[in-house]
Amino acid sequence: MMRVLVFGRTGQVARALAQQASADITITCLGRDRADLTDAAACAAIIAGADADIVINAAAYTAVDRAEAEADLAHAVNAAAPAAMARACAARQIPFLHISTDYVFDGSGSTPWQVDDLTGPLGVYGQTKLVGEAGVRAAAGTHVILRTSWVFSANGGNFVKTMLRLGATRPEINVVADQHGGPTAADDIATALISIARAFHTGRGISGTYHFSGSPDVSWADFARAIFAHAGVDCTVQDIPTSAYPTPAARPANSRLDCSALARDYAITRPDWQASLTNVIRTLKEGSQ
């Protein structure tokens, strides 16, 4: 039996992880009522007393624009808390799996980012996630940092649900076409994390930083077109440049991630996001009936 402790309960990946429980895996998800990520010491104390074989941090401050005005809060959740968790796991020799983001890069160029490429976050969110990564590594325990991008699911707020909501009432919508990346279903991220956890549980895990995103890479505009096509929504997508849609925080133009290291070390390949999108839209339609 593998016992997995998850920080996070209502987020997209945390909800997907909860569904991964099986006859040989128990998964305990901690929400804010039990684990306050603004209190790093409390999070560490939970791990110190936990009956767990693996700890996964699926919680984060993800309000990219709001983070520009709430830097201290974003730092507490995205940097201080995971560092404390990693130290607590290292002290108990428990593997720690931590989710990070494409936002640690500056989005330059057009080639997929390698795991060891120079980072350069454009805003507070990416900066705090990068500091969190450093804290996890500094703990010097067994760990995996999994960077991912453009997360979507049938739960929570995400691009797919926003497009479906807007497309239902508008004949046409403008979507940014000069940002590219790999849409990634929360279910696929959860499956990858559990696969990594199993590897550690059986003594085959390899510590390090890895990339995981859906395939193929597309623009936000093309992703929107695919969403409408899969959902049967009659809404035209007009391509616009990022400059026509200003936001408080800058977004990376190139969020393509090279995922070859994960395939090499864990035999986990990039999932087809269109197949996952079909499942998400089906779930949303079933939920609305």
Side-chain angles (χ1 to χ4, degrees):
M1 177 66 72
M2 181 173 69
R3 299 160 299 178
V4 181
L5 178 67
V6 177
F7 282 85
R9 187 182 63 205
T10 59
Q12 296 184 81
V13 177
R15 289 192 182 197
L17 280 165
Q19 300 301 312
Q20 293 281 329
S22 63
D24 63 339
I25 302 178
T26 62
I27 297 181
T28 302
C29 294
L30 305 180
R32 293 176 186 173
D33 57 330
R34 297 177 61 188
D36 181 359
L37 267 73
T38 64
D39 188 341
C43 292
I46 290 171
I47 293 171
D51 186 21
D53 301 304
I54 305 282
V55 174
I56 300 176
N57 180 29
Y61 181 107
T62 58
V64 176
D65 289 325
R66 199 163 67 240
E68 296 299 306
E70 296 182 346
D72 289 345
L73 178 57
H75 184 275
V77 175
N78 291 344
M85 293 176 197
R87 290 192 295 269
C89 285
R92 292 194 55 193
Q93 298 185 315
I94 297 173
F96 179 60
L97 311 186
H98 176 64
I99 302 170
S100 192
T101 173
D102 57 295
Y103 276 64
V104 299
F105 296 111
D106 66 9
S108 60
S110 59
T111 58
W113 293 99
Q114 305 281 336
V115 294
D116 56 355
D117 278 340
L118 184 67
T119 53
L122 300 174
V124 169
Y125 167 67
Q127 291 163 4
T128 58
K129 291 295 288 183
L130 185 61
V131 174
E133 287 188 7
V136 171
R137 295 187 193 98
T142 301
H143 72 276
V144 160
I145 295 169
L146 191 69
R147 294 175 180 150
T148 190
S149 63
W150 296 21
V151 182
F152 69 93
S153 70
N155 300 303
N158 58 73
F159 186 76
V160 171
K161 294 177 71 175
T162 297
M163 289 300 102
L164 291 175
R165 175 174 54 81
L166 296 177
T169 58
R170 301 182 186 180
E172 182 178 293
I173 187 169
N174 296 331
V175 182
V176 169
D178 55 1
Q179 295 174 23
H180 292 80
T184 317
D187 284 345
D188 292 327
I189 298 170
T191 299
L193 287 168
I194 293 302
S195 181
I196 293 169
R198 285 185 183 276
F200 278 114
H201 194 57
T202 55
R204 298 177 292 108
I206 301 173
S207 288
T209 301
Y210 296 91
H211 290 169
F212 179 72
S213 63
S215 178
D217 295 320
V218 291
S219 69
W220 284 115
D222 285 338
F223 188 25
R225 290 187 185 92
I227 293 167
F228 295 144
H230 282 253
V233 173
D234 185 15
C235 181
T236 300
V237 175
Q238 294 292 337
D239 293 5
I240 62 169
T242 298
S243 58
Y245 189 73
T247 55
R251 267 68 171 170
N254 176 25
S255 289
R256 302 171 181 90
L257 298 176
D258 185 297
C259 305
S260 58
L262 192 64
R264 178 195 67 217
D265 291 350
Y266 286 96
I268 298 173
T269 57
R270 297 182 67 183
D272 175 5
W273 62 259
Q274 296 207 53
S276 300
L277 176 62
T278 298
N279 293 333
V280 166
I281 290 175
R282 181 187 305 117
T283 299
L284 289 170
K285 286 184 176 181
E286 291 172 351
S288 64
Q289 294 175 353

